[in-house]
Every structure is written in structure tokens, then in C-alpha cells.
Amino acid sequence: MNHQKVVHFSDKDLDGESCAILSYLAFSNQEVVSRGVTPYTVNQEVQKFMEEDLTRDMYVVITDVSVSDEVGSLIQKKVDDGHAFVLIDHHPTAFPLASKYEWANVITEEAGKKTSAASLYYDYLVNQGHLTPTGILSDYVELVRSFDTWDWDATGLVQANQLNILFYMVERDTFVQNVLGRLRGDDVHTDQFVFNEIESILIYTEEKRINEFEQKKLKQMKVIPVEIDLEEPKTYQVGVVFLEQYHSTTGNFLCKNAEMIDFVAMLDPGKGRISFRTIRDDVDLSVIAQHYGGGGHPKASGCSFTGVTLKAFVYPALKTN
């Protein structure tokens, strides 16, 4: 690659940040600038970047988030003008973008396994000759994929969940640098990604705290009927709870321990977002979230607070005793 600078937009969760880690490894001879975004800010951030900062020596990477068709059209104009862009995502709501633009790659399943952005980006970098696969790299990417797709819960790969716990416990730059050191083999050469003693103690302590937290949220959760008009009106039993952290694990816990609900809606007023989770195969949250202006996966999706979502989920929960 002849570009001197890699600008990488990626989601701020473990999967998205791991994509940025892969860029640091693959393009160690170039300047890599990582920009954390969310599905709700990516359009504004990418458009502003193209208007103010984009130069021809840049290779622009977008992972674990998609862009609107309007921003996609702007990217295509830049590509037609000789700029280099690639988007890699695994959310089904991004399929329309991939069907329209060659630089957009969206795959939700590969070789019988659900994909993550990190697993797709890893394969892409290896296939493009930017990265040489190693045992520890493959092991780390599989941990990330297993957590992000929730396969770890079925397979019993608890280390994947522990990796996510650690990700949210330590300062972001510290996490990135520690992981990079291990993946490069700076200290110990091994084919497996393992936690050190301090990390193991931190994870154990946090797991106990999370367990207490989940029990508390189960007691606080309100179950309300919500009618959603997709192809036809249907009433869902929704568990609604105020929750500002641990959305994936707590959402899964609540669904398992409240069998009467179809899905859980976790309200985060600080971020103005609602996260949806389900363990049921007959509920497609990606469609439900899209109905409310959001998106995501069939079993894990989200949307923003709007007048409609406040009326559907927030106000009824506040009224419920």
C-alpha cells in the first residue's frame, strides 16, 4: 500500500476497538489514526472528515459501523476521484450499502459461524497481504468474535466474556497497548491469548460485582406490553430497565431469568440510547430496532431516544409500579 496514513473509524466496543488494534499491527510502517465512533455519530464524523481533513495519501477504513446512503454516495464520489476507502461490517442493516458500493463489505455469517467486524477485518488484512496470521492473533480474534456474537454463551468460552469485562475495566489506551504487546510477542511468545495475574484478579472481582448488579436489575425490571406495527401489529412483552453499563451480559441474564418477556429494553438516559436484547429465535430485534430508527443484529440491537421510543418504552415503565 502506497498510502502514508491510515485513518480508521470504528465502533467503541471490544469488537470495534479490536479492529483498530489490527490496523496498528498491519500498518505499523504507516501512521495510523484511530477515531472511535458509534452508529449514531459515524455519519457526521465521516462526512466532516471528508470535507475538512481527507487527503490523497490517506487510506480510510470504516469497521463495525455502517454509513447512511447519503454519506455512502459522498464516499463513492471520493473513490471515483482516486481516494481509497473500505468499509467492513457484519450488521444485516448494512446489506443495502454493500449491494450498491464495491468498497462496502458486509458479511453476517462465514463457514457456519456468525461473524464479527474483527474476524472479517482480520481475514481481509490477511487476504490483502497486510497481515501475517499467527496463533495468538487468531486466538484473540476468535475471543472477540465469540463474545460479540454471543457464541461464547453456548460454547462455554468464558474467556471471551472475561476479555470484554477487562476491556471496560481499564483505560482504553492501556488496554490497546497491553493487547498490542501480547499480539506482537513482546514479552512471551505463545499461540494463546492469556490474562496475566493482575488482570485475572481484576476480572474475578468484577465478575462478583456484575453478578450482584444483575440480581439488582432483575428486581428493578418492569414488564410492559408494547404493540409494534411491523408487517402487522403485534404485542410484545418487554422487560424495561434503566441500565448504563453491562448491556450485553445483563440483557442476556434478564432474558434468561424472566421467561415471560420477548425481549429486554435497556434505557441509558445519559447516552440517550435504548439497547435491545433477546434470547428468542422468533424475535428479530434488528427489524424492531430499524422500525424505531436504529439497527443491529436479530438478538442484539438498539436505537436512540425519540418521542416515539419514549412513548413506547420509557413512559409506560415509569408508570408501572
Side-chain angles (χ1 to χ4, degrees), residues 36-110:
V37 293
T38 72
Y40 308 97
T41 64
V42 60
N43 288 307
Q44 179 182 353
E45 293 287 332
V46 171
Q47 185 170 347
K48 182 180 179 182
F49 163 77
M50 288 192 293
E51 292 171 352
E52 299 178 1
D53 302 318
L54 180 64
T55 58
R56 291 191 178 277
D57 65 341
M58 293 178 176
Y59 180 54
V60 184
V61 180
I62 305 170
T63 54
D64 204 27
V65 286
S66 187
V67 295
S68 66
D69 190 55
E70 178 185 357
V71 174
S73 178
L74 296 175
I75 290 176
Q76 185 59 48
K77 290 179 181 178
K78 296 296 184 181
V79 171
D80 291 341
D81 194 35
H83 291 275
F85 279 78
V86 64
L87 181 145
I88 294 177
D89 195 13
H90 64 126
H91 298 94
T93 44
F95 276 137
L97 201 71
S99 67
K100 194 170 183 179
Y101 303 111
E102 289 188 5
W103 46 265
N105 306 270
V106 181
I107 302 172
T108 58
E109 189 172 308
E110 226 171 24

Side-chain angles (χ1 to χ4, degrees), residues 108-140:
T108 58
E109 189 172 308
E110 226 171 24
K113 285 185 176 182
K114 289 176 284 187
T115 61
S116 73
S119 68
L120 292 174
Y121 190 44
Y122 180 48
D123 291 343
Y124 173 83
L125 291 170
V126 170
N127 291 334
Q128 293 292 315
H130 299 313
L131 196 59
T132 301
T134 65
I136 190 170
L137 251 178
S138 299
D139 190 50
Y140 177 79

